[in-house]
């Protein structure tokens, strides 16, 4: 056939000459139907691109006038569309015609409609807004009784269709799956495939119909459904294992020649269907022995039947081999497949050779010996004139690289690299070489240092700036980290330095920026290995580069960093002097900054040496991320009334929480007037809003819901304390949210729940936990103080910061067991609240001040057991309450009754009812839990519309209580009991 | 899946451009130009497969082409298509053109661009191979042609 084309083409010039008179702009006057011809002839007759442009622009303006003229008939429009398509194909904008194309598809008769649809599918894309105008037309045509119209509609749907309009046509297309004409069914299947591609979830419900299509009596429909299955199996092979049998049967029938003769292509039965089926089987059988076993027979059959008489049988054979190597291996089949690969590789046909190499590349990991068999062919292919074959060979070699062959393979790759000019190929190949050399450093195959560095030099100079940024980074890391042998490493580095110096000596050679960056880093880091007295020589070179205009400013930053490093080794250098002068007035702010840094560093040699130590590039730098060295400064500022820093999220949380608090306020109002507020001695106030937090908490604690909410807030809060950042950050995130939901429950319920919970948690384990928890909470009041002083340690506990107070103070480790007691009262969960409310306080500075004073007191006293200080603590708790309330309008939550009174010197369990509380209705004192040394009891107080739970812990042994942890079980354990 | 089907002559003049994946107008032109340059460099006796390069999707894509006298037929496909299969599909397409136009030549493609598109639509639909059976394709096209004739006769000259 190509002969014929050739013949025609030789006749072409003559043809054009004849028609010249009609062609070109003159042709406009000819009848509409031959206008395209006129246009084409006109264009062909032109010699320059410029003329063509002029002609087409003119044509387009003519067309524009025509299509928008009201007198233009649809028939004329059809002709215009064809010309528009032609202009668009040549790359000219014909967007004015898009809307007319849609109109034509809408209004035209069959033929016009066909042109309209074609134009639409060529002009528009899926997201084009005009496409929506087409939806109605498509719906109408899908319902048409005319087969041709339905076909056209299905075709356009499978080419372009707006995703969001799929539901409008989906049922219609589903119906078409039952259509009596097979061509309609087939197109419908492909249209649904298109939907599967662009909106898989919209066609999920019709997967069953795909199965029907697979079993369709018409082969064409079945073949179309294979597209869908190939795609779906590729996405999820496990979901379709049950279909393996069907596919195998179909393939058997196809291979056995059971299909209509129509489907034969060069007497090969339905080759494309075979290819598709083989691919599907390959996907299904992958790593699955049972499924694979089903297909061994048919694969064997396929391999046998494929008599090599035509191109397309090779296509089938290739797929067969691919499948055999993809599925669970069977040695017999593998043997046959290997033989087939041989046929490909040894074939004189270049296409087959290419595929043979491709197959080898694929199977090489499973069967390296196969490469050995064909090594001579592979070597030949390396020098093949076709670059594609060469590349495929290199790809193959890349897969079999080992310590013995690396030099040769890399050399071959470099040769190819030097020849190729396409960026895409260079990037790809450079990546591979670097991969062999650098990336798998664990067992690098590089034979020696010199070779390694030289190869990398070649890679850097060729790959230059297009290579993947990982490559230079990995290379530098490799140099810095080295291998096992230290002297070897030093030699490698030394060699690198030497080779770079030599490279920089060469005049008038331009290296890629990335290479220069690597060089400057290496020279800066390892120049000292040369053992020269002064780095004057290298400084000169770097200076020259810095002065070079073709060097990018990023590279200059690398260069000046190298200069800085070198300067620390030899500080008196004219060049450095000159360089500083030059760059302190540079317009590039970055360079100026570097130059100033260098200048100042030079003035302080000691600092410079410690800042830029020799050969320390891979030692971890200790960075005080918490900035603890600023603690003193912060503390001072705070004490002078500065507001403490709060991270953004905390500020927001706080705001939110405050809003919530306000929402639930009603209960609280009555509390604000609780008898306690009035009683505090004014002296206490000085001590602390810090502690007032505690009392606030205690108040909070009563309302279980609030308390829980508070927990969360508290942790959020904590982050702002300089020392705790890291930990508390985690904590905040880990907090369960559900507690929020409880908030709404009424107070009584909440309390009951809690009460119950305590009873429920009597088990030993729980007891221990509670002990721990109470020990945690003992130090609560003063704990934050310590943080501010920067002393808090980071012992991890369930509730992070609570326990530390005591620990740090008394210098002893805390644990539930070591808790040797004394006496304290704890206010359960409420304590969680404390920081939260502290934060809510407006008078920050005041608070901090108080903390400090408090802390010093605590430090003075050996432990909390010393009553005076405890007294003070309790006092201040009580006293601070009023201020807290007034500041925040949160009275409702701060029944200031608190547990503080229980700190008072009651030493016996029996007397542990508090004075204040006894004024109100209260329950019996119940012992919650106890052991030999300690006992915890609780009682409830009803006051106004609130309920408090007071816990007292008493020490039965005479020993000193060092610390206590209190842990409250999570909210789930609480049960509501009316 | 077939991403694009390009037909251009020995001078790089496009004769048929059909994209099944969306590319902006300028990129389409660029793809045609680059593909032409890639293909032009190659002798007739070396292999018919090319890597698509960076413009069309990277290494997963291949250009598979055939050269007939003055025309290059290039199919750009992804890895889910068989190279040799596509090579024969091009052959099927060209043979079908030959049957429909009776000794097809470049001029047929130019002057009956729309018809070439209709034929292609019967072979490849939305990037998927629809029909490889030449007789079936020709039958479909003939049915359409009959339609055309009847219409022309109804409407008169």
């Amino acid at each position: 056939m190509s002969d014929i084309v050739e013949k025609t083409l030789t006749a072409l010039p003559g043809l054009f000459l004849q028609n010249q008179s009609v062609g070109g702009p003159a042709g406009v006057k000819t009848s509409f139907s031959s206008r395209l011809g006129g246009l084409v002839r006109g264009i062909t007759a032109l010699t320059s691109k410029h003329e063509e442009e002029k002609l087409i622009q003119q044509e387009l303006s003519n067309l524009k006038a025509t299509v928008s003229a009201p007198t233009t008939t649809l028939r004329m429009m059809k002709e215009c569309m064809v010309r528009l398509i032609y202009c668009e194909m040549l790359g000219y904008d014909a967007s004015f015609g898009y809307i007319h194309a849609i109109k034509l598809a809408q209004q035209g008769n069959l033929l016009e409609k066909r042109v309209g649809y074609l134009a639409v599918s060529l002009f528009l894309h899926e997201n084009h807004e005009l496409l929506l105008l087409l939806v109605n037309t498509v719906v109408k045509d899908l319902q048409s009784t005319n087969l041709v119209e339905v076909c056209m509609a299905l075709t356009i749907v499978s080419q372009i269709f707006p995703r969001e309009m799929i539901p409008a046509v989906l049922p219609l297309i589903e119906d078409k799956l039952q259509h009596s004409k097979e061509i309609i069914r087939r197109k419908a299947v492909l249209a649904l495939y298109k939907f599967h591609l662009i909106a898989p979830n919209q066609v999920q419900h019709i997967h069953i119909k795909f199965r029907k299509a697979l079993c369709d009596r018409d082969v064409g429909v079945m073949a179309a459904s294979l597209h869908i299955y190939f795609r779906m199996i590729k996405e999820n092979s496990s979901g379709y294992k049950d279909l393996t049998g069907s596919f195998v049967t179909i393939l058997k029938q196809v291979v056995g020649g059971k299909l209509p003769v129509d489907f034969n292509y060069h007497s090969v039965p339905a080759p494309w269907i075979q290819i598709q089926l083989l691919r599907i089987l390959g996907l299904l059988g992958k790593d699955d022995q049972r499924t694979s076993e089903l297909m061994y027979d048919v694969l064997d059959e396929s391999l046998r039947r494929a008599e090599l008489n035509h191109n397309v049988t090779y296509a089938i054979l290739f797929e067969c081999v691919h499948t055999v190597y993809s599925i669970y291996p069977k040695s017999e089949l593998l043997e046959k497949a290997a033989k087939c690969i041989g046929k490909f590789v040894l074939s004189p046909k270049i296409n087959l050779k290419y595929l043979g190499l491709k197959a080898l590349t694929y199977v090489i990991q499973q069967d390296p010996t196969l490469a050995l068999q064909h090594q001579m062919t592979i070597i030949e292919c390396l020098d093949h004139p076709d670059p594609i074959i060469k590349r495929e060979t290199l790809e193959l070699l890349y897969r079999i690289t080992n310590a013995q062959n690396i030099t040769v393979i890399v050399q071959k790759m470099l040769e190819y690299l030097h020849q190729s000019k396409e960026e895409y190929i260079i990037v790809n190949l450079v990546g591979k070489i670097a991969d062999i050399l650098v990336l798998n450093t664990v067992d690098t195959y590089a034979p020696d240092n010199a070779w390694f560095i030289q190869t990398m030099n070649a890679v850097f100079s060729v790959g230059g700036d297009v290579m993947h940024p990982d490559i230079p980074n990995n290379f530098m890391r490799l140099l810095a980290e080295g291998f096992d042998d230290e002297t070897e490493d030093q030699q490698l580095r030394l060699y690198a330095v030497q080779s770079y110096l030599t490279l920089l000596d060469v005049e008038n050679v331009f290296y890629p920026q990335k290479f220069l960056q690597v060089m400057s880093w290496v020279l800066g880091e390892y120049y000292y290995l040369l053992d020269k007295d002064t780095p004057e020589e290298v400084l000169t070179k770097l200076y020259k580069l810095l002065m070079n205009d073709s060097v990018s400013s990023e590279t200059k930053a690398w260069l000046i960093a190298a200069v800085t490093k070198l300067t620390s080794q030899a500080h008196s250098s004219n060049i450095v002097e000159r360089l500083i002068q030059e760059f302190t007035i540079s317009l590039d702010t970055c360079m100026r900054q570097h130059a100033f840094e260098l200048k100042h560093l030079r003035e302080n040699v000691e600092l410079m040496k410690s800042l830029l130590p020799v050969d320390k590039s891979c030692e971890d730098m200790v960075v005080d991320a918490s900035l603890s060295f600023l603690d003193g400064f912060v503390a001072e500022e705070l004490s002078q009334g500065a507001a403490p820093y709060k991270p953004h999220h905390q500020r927001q949380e706080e705001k939110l929480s405050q809003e919530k608090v306000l929402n639930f306020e009603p209960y609280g109002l009555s509390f604000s007037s609780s008898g306690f507020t009035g009683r505090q001695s004014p002296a206490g106030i000085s001590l602390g809003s810090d502690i007032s937090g505690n009392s606030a908490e205690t108040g909070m604690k009563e309302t279980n819901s609030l308390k829980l909410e508070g927990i969360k807030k508290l942790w959020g809060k904590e982050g702002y304390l300089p020392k705790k950042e890291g930990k508390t950050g985690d904590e905040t995130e880990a907090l369960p949210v559900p507690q929020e939901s409880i908030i709404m429950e009424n107070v009584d319920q909440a309390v009951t729940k809690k009460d119950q919970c305590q009873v429920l948690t009597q088990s030993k384990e729980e007891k221990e936990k509670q002990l721990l928890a109470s020990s945690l909470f003992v130090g609560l009041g003063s704990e934050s103080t310590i943080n501010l002083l920067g002393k808090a340690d980071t012992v991890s506990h369930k509730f992070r910061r609570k326990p530390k107070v005591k620990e740090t103070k008394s210098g002893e480790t805390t644990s539930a067991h070591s808790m040797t007691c004394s006496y304290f009262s704890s206010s359960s969960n409420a304590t969680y609240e404390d920081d939260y409310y502290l934060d809510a306080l407006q008078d920050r500075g005041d608070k901090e001040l108080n903390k400090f004073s408090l802390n010093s007191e605590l430090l003075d006293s050996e432990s909390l057991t010393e009553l005076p200080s405890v007294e003070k603590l309790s006092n201040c708790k009580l006293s601070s309450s009023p201020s807290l309330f007034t500041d925040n309008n949160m009275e409702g939550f701060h029944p200031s009754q608190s547990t503080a009174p229980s700190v008072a010197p009651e030493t016996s369990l029996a007397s542990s009812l508090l004075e204040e509380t006894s004024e109100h209705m209260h329950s019996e004192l119940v012992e919650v839990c106890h052991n030999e040394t300690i006992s915890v009891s609780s009682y409830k107080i009803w006051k106004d519309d609130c309920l408090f739970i007071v816990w007292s812990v008493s020490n039965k042994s005479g020993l000193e209580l060092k610390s206590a942890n209190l842990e409250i079980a999570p909210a789930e354990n609480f049960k509501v009991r009316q | 899946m077939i991403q694009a089907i390009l037909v251009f002559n020995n001078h790089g003049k496009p004769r048929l451009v059909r994209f099944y994946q969306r590319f902006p107008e300028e990129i389409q032109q660029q793809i045609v130009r680059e593909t032409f340059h890639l293909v032009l460099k190659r002798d007739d006796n070396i292999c018919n497969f090319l890597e698509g390069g960076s413009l069309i999707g990277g290494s997963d894509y291949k250009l598979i082409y055939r050269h007939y006298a003055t025309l290059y037929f290039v199919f750009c496909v992804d890895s889910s298509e068989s190279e040799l299969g596509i090579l024969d599909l091009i052959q099927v397409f060209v043979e079908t053109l030959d049957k429909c136009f009776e000794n097809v030549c470049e001029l047929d493609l130019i002057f009956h661009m729309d018809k070439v598109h209709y034929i292609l639509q019967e072979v490849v639909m939305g990037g998927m191979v629809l029909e490889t059976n030449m007789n079936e394709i020709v039958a479909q096209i003939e049915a359409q042609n009959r339609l055309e004739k009847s219409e022309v006769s109804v409407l008169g000259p």
Side-chain angles (χ1 to χ4, degrees), chain A residues 82-152:
Chain A
V82 177
R83 276 187 287 159
L84 280 177
I85 294 173
Y86 190 79
C87 294
E88 276 262 315
M89 182 177 73
L90 293 179
Y92 296 90
D93 176 51
S95 51
F96 63 84
Y98 294 176
I99 185 74
H100 297 285
I102 288 177
K103 256 198 239 162
L104 196 63
Q106 241 160 34
Q107 300 161 355
N109 60 26
L110 271 181
L111 285 176
E112 289 148 11
K113 200 183 260 299
R114 188 166 67 155
V115 175
Y117 271 133
L118 176 66
V120 168
S121 77
L122 287 168
F123 290 159
L124 304 184
H125 57 82
E126 266 158 30
N127 303 320
H128 202 289
E129 66 261 24
L130 285 180
L131 209 53
L132 290 176
L133 298 176
L134 194 73
V135 174
N136 259 334
T137 318
V138 170
V139 171
K140 206 179 78 205
D141 286 339
L142 279 176
Q143 289 163 322
S144 161
T145 49
N146 187 324
L147 286 186
V148 181
E149 278 185 346
V150 178
C151 272
M152 284 194 291

Side-chain angles (χ1 to χ4, degrees), chain A residues 8-9 12 15 37 40 52 89 91 109 114 121 158 186 227 265 272 279 351 354-355 358 386 424, chain B residues 13 18 29 42 47-49 59 62 70 79-80 83 85 88 105 107 110 125 128-129 131 144 151:
Chain A
T8 326
L9 256 289
L12 198 57
L15 260 174
V40 173
E52 179 195 296
M89 182 177 73
N109 60 26
R114 188 166 67 155
S121 77
S158 75
R186 194 190 312 175
H227 289 305
Y265 176 77
W272 286 279
R279 292 197 158 212
N351 284 341
Y354 170 81
L355 287 175
K358 211 177 137 187
D386 186 350
Y424 166 74
Chain B
K13 278 256 175 279
R18 169 101 247 188
Q29 290 300 318
R42 301 175 58 78
C47 78
N48 300 51
F49 316 122
S59 59
K62 283 227 161 60
T70 62
S79 59
S80 66
E83 286 96 337
D88 275 286
C105 68
L107 287 176
I110 303 170
M125 189 166 129
M128 305 310 302
V129 180
E131 180 61 83
Q144 290 181 19
E151 196 152 301

Side-chain angles (χ1 to χ4, degrees), chain A residues 216 539 720 776 884 888 938 951:
Chain A
D216 198 282
L539 280 173
Y720 89 86
L776 276 170
L884 177 70
N888 289 295
S938 81
W951 289 10

Side-chain angles (χ1 to χ4, degrees), chain A residues 14-30:
Chain A
L15 260 174
F16 286 141
L17 283 176
Q18 285 166 22
N19 292 323
Q20 202 114 70
S21 53
V22 210
V28 173
K29 288 195 185 79
T30 57

